[in-house]
Amino acid sequence: MPFAGRWYNDDKTVICYEFTGKLTVEDLDKLTDLHHEMLNSVDYPVHMMLDWQRCEGIPPNIISYARNLLAQRQHPRTGATVMIGMRLELRIFFGAFERAIRFVIKTPRFLMADTQERGYTLLMEVAEGEK
């Protein structure tokens, strides 16, 4: 599988997904299943870090697929999301995708960071602001 998911901290308040290689839509289904399994193991909101630093590509039909995936399978315990190390072309693509889906699906704003450490800091700032 071109991704791995793990709890980033001992408190189990942040999940880190790291992508390697080229993703397929089947991988996104498996990722969603793993995400739901991890979130179902706790009873509070969990933030996500998606680390794209070693990702080689995304599926060509990702826009319509991801929109449907978010609309139909978004977990209620999903907190804020930070994107780590996206290359310029992925950031441009993702920015357009985010603006397009925000009106259709009420999703939280996605944050951007260069490293996992910076991403974690951003998520902790979000969590502190929610208190």
Side-chain angles (χ1 to χ4, degrees):
M1 265 187 290
F3 68 87
R6 63 181 170 79
W7 292 105
Y8 189 79
N9 58 358
D10 292 337
D11 294 337
K12 293 187 175 182
T13 59
V14 176
I15 299 173
C16 181
Y17 296 105
E18 296 177 90
F19 302 104
T20 57
K22 189 168 177 80
L23 292 172
T24 66
V25 292
E26 291 80 15
D27 295 327
L28 296 177
D29 279 333
K30 291 175 188 171
L31 174 70
T32 302
D33 291 341
L34 173 63
H35 184 65
H36 282 235
E37 181 181 319
M38 293 175 83
L39 290 181
N40 286 336
S41 72
V42 298
D43 63 356
Y44 47 82
V46 174
H47 303 301
M48 289 189 303
M49 292 192 303
L50 304 176
D51 190 336
W52 298 93
Q53 294 178 83
R54 295 183 293 155
C55 183
E56 295 174 12
I58 54 177
N61 55 345
I62 189 70
I63 290 180
S64 61
Y65 183 80
R67 182 177 149 228
N68 292 334
L69 191 66
L70 284 171
Q72 297 169 8
R73 297 194 61 197
Q74 188 170 352
H75 198 284
R77 291 190 196 111
T78 299
T81 300
V82 65
M83 303 293 183
I84 309 292
M86 287 183 121
R87 295 185 320 263
L88 179 60
E89 63 271 18
L90 279 176
R91 279 192 310 219
I92 292 168
F93 169 82
F94 192 80
F97 171 72
E98 180 186 22
R99 284 188 300 278
I101 66 166
R102 184 169 289 145
F103 296 107
V104 178
I105 305 164
K106 303 301 181 213
T107 59
R109 181 141 202 261
F110 295 95
L111 307 167
M112 299 284 181
D114 290 334
T115 65
Q116 289 184 11
E117 293 77 15
R118 178 65 182 136
Y120 182 73
T121 300
L122 288 172
L123 290 175
M124 293 304 95
E125 289 172 3
V126 167
E128 187 64 31
E130 292 174 349
K131 291 181 179 179

